[in-house]
Amino acid sequence: MSTNTVNQYARDPRLIADAPGLKGVLDSYRRRLSQGELGSLPVMVGLVVIWLIFYLSNDRFLSPVNLTNLMLQISAMGTISVGLVLVLLLGEIDLSAGAVSGLAAAVMAMLSVKHQLPGVPSLLVGLGAGAAVGLFHGLWFTRMRVPTFVVTLAGQLGWQGALLYVLGDTGTVNLNDDLIVSLTGTFFSPAIAWTVTVLAIGVLTAVMLNGRRRRAKAGLPLAPWRSTLMAVGAPSAVLIAAMTVFTMDRGLPLAVVIFVGLALMLELMLRHTRFGRHTFAVGGNAEAARRAGISVPGIRTTIFMLASALAACGGILAASRLMAVNQSSGSGDVLLNAIAAAVIGGTSLFGGRGSAWSALLGALVIGSISNGMDLLALSSSVKFMVTGGVLLVAASIDALSRKGRQASGRA
């Protein structure tokens, strides 16, 4: 091994043991930041700044009622963004997510209202329609070798037409099924909310301890206990704070449980399953993944199926909140906001880096900007310009962090 290679590994923050105490923690963060390992730090700092600005401008911004409304507002868009995170991890793009969300909602609505199907079959068929669209995109991309930009751009146009065809002359379909409407109209009592909190913290603790056990069994170096405690304590504190806010208002919204639950399941899949590791491998270097025996076409097709199914889920949540589906469902800024949320949250545009939590953080940023500006009665023009500026900053940070990783030989 050459001297340069040895020095490269010597500088890798993942291979340097932390010194004990607070100094070790600070040195570790400083080392990671200097080499492009920014993680979620920029978006979290940005979110704090945004919340502080809007709170100083209008103290109702951080009220339990408004924060609960904020989470309800971002649930549909955030669910779509979770699926787009998966696509971005491959280094690809899906421009049809907005149209697919509207089409799936229209299919569900027509079956429920016009054909009088019960809520559960209508929901399942709507989700199935989204998954079928994703399967089509994935197969066309992997078999025909047409770039995903073109395939999904064609899909964005075609599925918008399919939405209009499904709705026909009706134009707008008002939902009346109790189950479908309850997806965004149900709020759980404090007892259930705190039970969910305890279970979530228990699952998080078990996952972290199991990870340490598996690393110890494999003879791999273990992170300091303080890192494990921080990895459990920080999310637990956020979860407890969120539940406190919800219980001070109407209770824990079912839509938030669906959104966060999907993000959690996808994150566990990405971090703790073979499929997740293969997804990162394909996004990092598809040719190397193929040579390692990974079914690259299979991974790509499955990811597009999951992304479109999540887009369908987001469309159904949006229809439930509006209690209707119309010809503009899934259009407007739905797609752009969902992509922006994934990028702002920290998912790399270059593939191979990101997490399902990126969708939650990014959606919080975009939703906070929109919600805060509505409270201040600012025009939509200002809202779009500010959101665009935040997206540009996030993409620039991603590019700079990639440059830092390249300089350290780890891009």
Side-chain angles (χ1 to χ4, degrees):
M1 185 179 293
S2 67
T3 303
N4 290 337
T5 304
V6 172
N7 290 337
Q8 169 186 319
Y9 284 111
R11 294 193 305 269
D12 191 333
R14 297 169 297 182
L15 302 177
I16 300 177
D18 296 339
L22 179 61
K23 183 179 184 301
V25 174
L26 296 177
D27 288 344
S28 174
Y29 275 112
R30 191 180 302 113
R31 190 164 55 241
R32 291 175 185 275
L33 290 176
S34 66
Q35 299 200 356
E37 295 289 341
L38 301 181
S40 299
L41 181 61
V43 66
M44 293 177 69
V45 171
L47 187 61
V48 170
V49 171
I50 291 170
W51 282 20
L52 181 60
I53 291 173
F54 284 127
Y55 175 71
L56 294 176
S57 302
N58 189 326
D59 58 4
R60 289 184 300 165
F61 179 77
L62 292 182
S63 66
V65 173
N66 190 62
L67 290 178
T68 301
N69 288 335
L70 170 61
M71 290 302 298
L72 285 170
Q73 290 165 4
I74 68 172
S75 293
M77 180 263 289
T79 302
I80 298 173
S81 185
V82 172
L84 289 172
V85 165
L86 299 177
V87 176
L88 290 175
L89 286 176
L90 295 179
E92 304 295 341
I93 190 65
D94 185 352
L95 299 178
S96 68
V100 172
S101 71
L103 174 61
V107 170
M108 173 206 68
M110 294 299 289
L111 291 176
S112 174
V113 176
K114 298 298 182 181
H115 298 279
Q116 299 298 309
L117 258 66
V120 172
S122 299
L123 289 170
L124 292 177
V125 173
L127 293 173
V133 169
L135 175 62
F136 173 78
H137 289 166
L139 290 176
W140 201 277
F141 166 49
T142 56
R143 300 294 177 85
M144 303 298 292
R145 306 288 184 177
V146 178
T148 54
F149 179 89
V150 177
V151 173
T152 57
L153 177 60
Q156 195 271 339
L157 298 171
W159 305 127
Q160 185 67 33
L163 164 65
L164 300 178
Y165 178 80
V166 169
L167 292 177
D169 297 332
T170 305
T172 299
V173 178
N174 295 316
L175 299 174
N176 52 25
D177 185 271
D178 291 339
L179 175 62
I180 296 174
V181 173
S182 68
L183 293 177
T184 53
T186 298
F187 295 85
F188 295 114
S189 66
I192 296 178
W194 289 114
T195 301
V196 171
T197 302
V198 172
L199 291 175
I201 294 175
V203 169
L204 176 62
T205 303
V207 169
M208 296 302 299
L209 293 178
N210 184 58
R212 289 185 64 90
R213 181 188 63 80
R214 293 177 61 186
R215 289 184 67 86
K217 185 177 180 180
L220 298 173
L222 299 177
W225 272 107
R226 66 168 180 267
S227 299
T228 303
L229 292 176
M230 185 178 297
V232 173
S236 299
V238 172
L239 185 59
I240 291 172
M243 289 301 170
T244 302
V245 170
F246 291 142
T247 54
M248 290 173 66
D249 185 34
R250 287 153 287 178
L252 174 62
L254 174 59
V256 174
V257 174
I258 294 173
F259 169 33
V260 177
L262 288 172
L264 174 62
M265 287 190 293
L266 267 294
E267 181 67 11
L268 292 176
M269 180 198 74
L270 289 172
R271 303 295 175 183
H272 300 282
T273 67
R274 178 179 297 180
F275 178 81
R277 292 190 292 271
H278 288 181
T279 299
F280 281 108
V282 172
N285 190 321
E287 179 58 25
R290 185 189 67 80
R291 291 177 180 272
I294 296 174
S295 175
V296 175
I299 294 293
R300 285 172 167 168
T301 301
T302 305
I303 288 295
F304 272 93
M305 283 183 63
L306 288 173
S308 292
L310 287 166
C313 184
I316 290 170
L317 288 176
S320 172
R321 189 162 186 267
L322 186 62
M323 297 180 63
V325 178
N326 54 48
Q327 295 176 341
S328 63
S329 295
S331 60
D333 59 357
V334 173
L335 172 66
L336 299 180
N337 281 341
I339 295 175
V343 176
I344 291 172
T347 298
S348 175
L349 291 166
F350 303 100
R353 285 181 177 269
S355 83
W357 296 123
S358 303
L360 174 59
L361 292 173
L364 273 174
V365 170
I366 293 178
S368 297
I369 292 173
S370 177
N371 181 283
M373 289 189 174
D374 287 341
L375 284 179
L376 298 179
L378 297 177
S379 65
S380 297
S381 60
V382 177
K383 186 190 307 182
F384 282 124
M385 288 188 287
V386 172
T387 304
V390 172
L391 174 60
L392 182 61
V393 170
S396 301
I397 291 174
D398 177 37
L400 290 175
S401 64
R402 177 178 172 85
K403 184 177 180 181
R405 293 193 299 270
Q406 287 177 331
S408 60
R410 295 175 13 262

